[in-house]
Amino acid sequence: MILVSVMYPAGPKFDMGYYLNTHMPLVRERWSSLGLHEATVVTGKGTPDGGPAPFQVMALLTFESADAFAKAAEAHGAEIFADIPNFTEAQAQVQLNDFA
């Protein structure tokens, strides 16, 4: 299993309604048959010292493998990433993570 973190930096406007009701269902629809097991959305609330959160929203996507994610991204990544301007101007940062 691998965790893909899609992180949206704080600052730019973010339409959470569109993200939750349109974008994330698109992600699940396109990628579930290609190895996506779970998709969780979290919102940044701050840092331990009381500072602002560096990321306003993160999608945590669990895939069966890095290979499965690569194939999913190849198949539908262009469509999914082309949808980002519909809910934010933030530049998404994507990180692959292994479970320890």
Side-chain angles (χ1 to χ4, degrees):
M1 298 292 275
I2 190 165
L3 179 70
V4 179
S5 302
V6 183
M7 304 169 287
Y8 297 92
K13 184 179 172 186
F14 197 98
D15 183 342
M16 186 62 81
Y18 182 94
Y19 184 71
L20 293 175
N21 297 313
T22 303
H23 184 74
M24 288 308 296
L26 173 69
V27 168
R28 289 180 181 102
E29 179 183 316
R30 297 293 189 265
W31 285 353
S32 288
S33 66
L34 298 172
L36 174 66
H37 288 263
E38 186 175 351
T40 303
V41 174
V42 297
T43 57
K45 296 300 177 198
T47 61
D49 65 0
F55 297 99
Q56 59 186 313
V57 175
M58 291 184 281
L60 307 175
L61 311 174
T62 305
F63 275 85
E64 62 188 47
S65 67
D67 227 24
F69 172 67
K71 289 176 184 173
E74 183 179 328
H76 299 289
E79 176 186 14
I80 289 170
F81 282 97
D83 190 47
I84 291 174
N86 291 322
F87 58 87
T88 189
E89 293 179 359
Q91 180 66 43
Q93 297 179 28
V94 180
Q95 177 173 300
L96 303 181
N97 309 279
D98 280 327
F99 290 94

